[in-house]
Amino acid sequence: MFSLNFLSRTRPAFLMLLLGTLALGAQSAPKPFGVLRLPPLPSLPEKINAFGYATDTNQTLQFLTLFTLGQIGYPTFPGASRTENSGLVGFETGLPGDIAYALVTKFSAGSSVPAKIQQVGGMAVKEVGGWTVIAPDQASLHYVNANNIEGILQLVRKKRVFDFEFEVTRSREDMQRMRQSLSGSKAGSDQQGLALALAFMENVQSSLFGINLDTERFQVGTRQVAWPDTPEAALLSAPAGGEVSVARFVPATGNAGVIYHVDPVAVSDYLKVFFQRMEATGEQPEAAQLHDKLEQTLNTIAKDWDGTGAYRLEFQPEQVDYAGVVGGDWEQEPFSQLLDELFSDIMPALLEEIPVQQYASAVQMATSTTKAAGPISSALPGAVGNVVAGGSLNTLDQYEPPTHQIVDGMIVISNQPERLEELAAAVAADRAADDPLSDHLSLKDGQALRAYVDLKSVYMQSLRQMNLPASPSTTLVLSNLAATPLEPMTIEVDTGNNTMTALLTLPVETVRILSGTLQQLKQSSSEQRMH
């Protein structure tokens, strides 16, 4: 509720364990464990062109796509349906670590594309129920047949929320069996984390992850729909959005900002369920004692919370600075002491349970190019990596308790003492900031959270830490970038009717200009070396 850095840390080993369990849990008759829904085949060129335009790789991408798919009908795919989805369906084979997959798509009876796919692509192809099934081999092809095609088509033909989306299709019973198989396990924190995730997913009716691509924006998102009458449904159906009055105190002077407004009672009720599930996983005595203390502290603090908060953030190469106000009606004591215990005692102990450097290495690997590509090439992905991490990838394990004050019933918090004093004075005087977050962010009804990140500013911060070659061309490139207004990346979380939708939006023009700047700096660096 209050710590930003802690919320941004995860367990790579746990994630791998979760995905493996989803793919291998039940080994009965073959049935889909997931489906990747695709837009109609004739619309794929539009999406590919959008990606090529944004990354300034359109010509190269078109060449590669035509080279690989041109012989089987790209870009028009003659005879392919212009209205029906296609779906890549995954199946369990019953063998550890092994899955089968097949593409289910719709062609007209006279289309020559299926035969070309079989002849030129070397794929296995057949018709089932008027649909074309394409698989890498005959064994995989057999997983789609007349007995299960109706259920598979129900999955494939669902109305898409995203252009491309993956849906986990595990049944509630499957999730329950997998969770019960871990009941009472004391094998380690990763397995306990898996049991908690499965308890959540058991109550999720539909779990989607997807992307949208067009020439104006890229979007990455998720939609989770809970089964009715579950703790998750109660949380996701609770009131959200509306006014965030504390946002008027917080200046929009950083390169990122976030506001939220949720139902504090619903959050408190769900915390109780979460800690009950945690206890049921078979915690070690030391961990159970720590988690009990955390539960008591959060429940006590949540009683006087109004569900709102606003933060100003500054992502920098070596750290993330933040300052914010959390709305409520807290008394100076005992809540000031409770916050001291939360930040100075409980949080450091919790962080000791997390393999921070392992996480940092995973993020670095996922977001950075190799060192051989040079410092300029790694500037943009390195900056994005720091945003994902919630701080510097190199200093994730260096936790420092934030400073805080309770002012007029509200919690003012920051990791910069001078920022804290400024913000506390503004709250005490009921004085709005000159350029407040409330002028940049607001919440509609049902909107639990909104945030923005100025990627240009984060990118410029990273470049300032690098030994760029001193030259007129480099100076000009950086000056032009600084003078160019770019839309920020935005994040939105909406809830209601048992559903949560989270969406991260990247403006295409922002991506194009930052990518183009990268290429210009690399060219300038190469020219300097030649001289």
Side-chain angles (χ1 to χ4, degrees):
M1 181 162 60
F2 302 109
S3 173
L4 297 174
N5 289 342
F6 175 68
L7 294 178
S8 67
R9 301 174 182 184
T10 187
R11 302 171 182 263
F14 156 69
L15 293 175
M16 293 176 64
L17 188 59
L18 173 60
L19 292 174
T21 303
L22 288 176
L24 302 174
Q27 296 182 2
S28 55
K31 59 181 179 180
F33 68 82
V35 58
L36 175 63
R37 272 187 290 273
L38 310 171
L41 291 182
S43 67
L44 286 181
E46 175 188 345
K47 304 303 177 183
I48 293 173
N49 290 344
F51 181 81
Y53 173 78
T55 56
D56 203 23
T57 58
N58 204 33
Q59 290 184 342
T60 302
L61 197 59
Q62 285 292 347
F63 171 78
L64 291 175
T65 308
L66 282 170
F67 181 76
T68 55
L69 300 178
Q71 296 184 72
I72 59 173
Y74 182 88
T76 59
F77 293 107
S81 172
R82 296 184 174 276
T83 57
E84 295 280 9
N85 295 336
S86 297
L88 188 65
V89 188
F91 299 89
E92 304 155 354
T93 67
L95 299 176
D98 187 43
I99 62 172
Y101 59 91
L103 178 69
V104 179
T105 188
K106 182 76 170 177
F107 284 98
S108 62
S111 175
S112 61
V113 174
K116 289 181 179 178
I117 292 174
Q118 189 170 18
Q119 296 166 5
V120 179
M123 307 287 280
V125 179
K126 69 177 180 181
E127 298 292 321
V128 181
W131 287 66
T132 300
V133 183
I134 304 167
D137 50 53
Q138 289 293 331
S140 299
L141 196 66
H142 291 319
Y143 280 85
V144 180
N145 52 58
N147 295 325
N148 63 6
I149 187 65
E150 184 175 341
I152 289 172
L153 290 180
Q154 287 179 357
L155 293 174
V156 171
R157 302 179 76 181
K158 272 188 179 180
K159 184 178 180 180
R160 284 176 290 108
V161 178
F162 302 96
D163 290 338
F164 303 85
E165 61 186 30
F166 176 76
E167 180 177 7
V168 178
T169 58
R170 283 288 188 191
S171 70
R172 198 174 187 182
E173 291 74 19
D174 283 343
M175 295 294 183
Q176 189 174 39
R177 281 194 297 269
M178 286 186 280
R179 180 175 60 83
Q180 290 175 344
S181 70
L182 296 172
S183 178
S185 171
K186 297 182 184 291
S189 57
D190 283 328
Q191 209 161 12
Q192 292 168 6
L194 175 59
L196 287 171
L198 291 174
F200 168 82
M201 296 176 70
E202 178 184 328
N203 290 337
V204 174
Q205 183 177 8
S206 173
S207 182
L208 286 178
F209 305 88
I211 60 174
N212 290 323
L213 298 175
D214 60 42
T215 55
E216 294 184 358
R217 60 183 183 171
F218 287 171
Q219 292 182 318
V220 180
T222 181
R223 190 189 70 172
Q224 308 292 319
V225 182
W227 287 102
D229 302 320
T230 61
E232 284 71 19
L235 177 67
L236 299 183
S237 299
E243 184 180 7
V244 182
S245 60
V246 295
R248 72 184 190 277
F249 299 121
V250 183
T253 52
N255 52 32
V258 57
I259 64 172
Y260 55 84
H261 190 170
V262 296
D263 182 353
V265 175
V267 173
S268 181
D269 288 346
Y270 191 78
L271 279 175
K272 294 175 185 176
V273 172
F274 176 81
F275 283 110
Q276 288 170 359
R277 291 173 178 173
M278 185 178 289
E279 184 178 352
T281 63
E283 299 175 285
Q284 297 296 333
E286 297 82 2
Q289 186 176 3
L290 175 63
H291 296 155
D292 286 345
K293 181 64 175 177
L294 174 63
E295 179 183 6
Q296 294 169 10
T297 302
L298 291 181
N299 283 337
T300 302
I301 294 173
K303 289 178 181 177
D304 293 298
W305 180 39
D306 69 5
T308 68
Y311 283 90
R312 163 217 180 270
L313 302 100
E314 184 73 28
F315 289 101
Q316 300 185 55
E318 293 303 321
Q319 66 183 40
V320 56
D321 294 325
Y322 58 89
V325 182
V326 182
D329 189 22
W330 289 282
E331 297 289 340
Q332 183 68 28
E333 295 299 340
F335 294 107
S336 182
Q337 181 179 350
L338 282 175
L339 291 177
D340 283 338
E341 293 177 358
L342 175 64
F343 294 129
S344 299
D345 300 331
I346 299 176
M347 292 300 296
L350 286 172
L351 292 176
E352 288 181 1
E353 300 180 356
I354 300 175
V356 174
Q357 287 303 323
Q358 184 182 2
Y359 168 60
S361 298
V363 174
Q364 189 78 67
M365 184 178 298
T367 58
S368 297
T369 56
T370 62
K371 291 183 179 180
I376 295 175
S377 296
S378 63
L380 181 56
V384 174
N386 287 344
V387 172
V388 172
S392 170
L393 294 173
N394 301 318
T395 59
L396 281 178
D397 57 349
Q398 300 175 14
Y399 172 75
E400 290 291 336
T403 57
H404 58 84
Q405 292 185 26
I406 294 179
V407 183
D408 286 348
M410 292 169 275
I411 296 175
V412 183
I413 185 171
S414 178
N415 65 337
Q416 298 175 291
E418 65 278 9
R419 291 281 185 190
L420 180 79
E421 295 299 329
E422 294 172 0
L423 200 49
V427 173
D430 195 23
R431 182 180 66 248
D434 291 337
D435 182 23
L437 274 182
S438 54
D439 286 354
H440 298 260
L441 292 170
S442 60
L443 299 178
K444 299 177 293 187
D445 287 342
Q447 200 162 49
L449 179 147
R450 284 191 68 205
Y452 68 85
V453 179
D454 183 352
L455 288 180
K456 184 184 79 170
S457 176
V458 176
Y459 185 33
M460 296 285 287
Q461 291 271 22
S462 295
L463 290 175
R464 293 189 189 103
Q465 301 295 314
M466 299 179 180
N467 296 320
L468 297 176
S471 69
S473 59
T474 298
T475 301
L476 180 61
V477 170
L478 295 179
S479 297
N480 288 340
L481 177 60
T484 304
L486 297 179
E487 289 187 51
M489 177 177 75
T490 60
I491 301 168
E492 298 179 355
V493 179
D494 296 282
T495 59
N497 193 27
N498 304 343
T499 302
M500 179 200 73
T501 302
L503 203 60
L504 182 151
T505 301
L506 277 169
V508 164
E509 198 61 25
T510 297
V511 177
R512 276 180 56 83
I513 290 178
L514 292 182
S515 177
T517 299
L518 177 64
Q519 297 302 319
Q520 291 172 5
L521 290 173
K522 289 173 68 175
Q523 182 178 350
S524 175
S525 178
S526 298
E527 291 173 354
Q528 284 290 103
R529 287 197 297 268
M530 292 176 63
H531 292 83

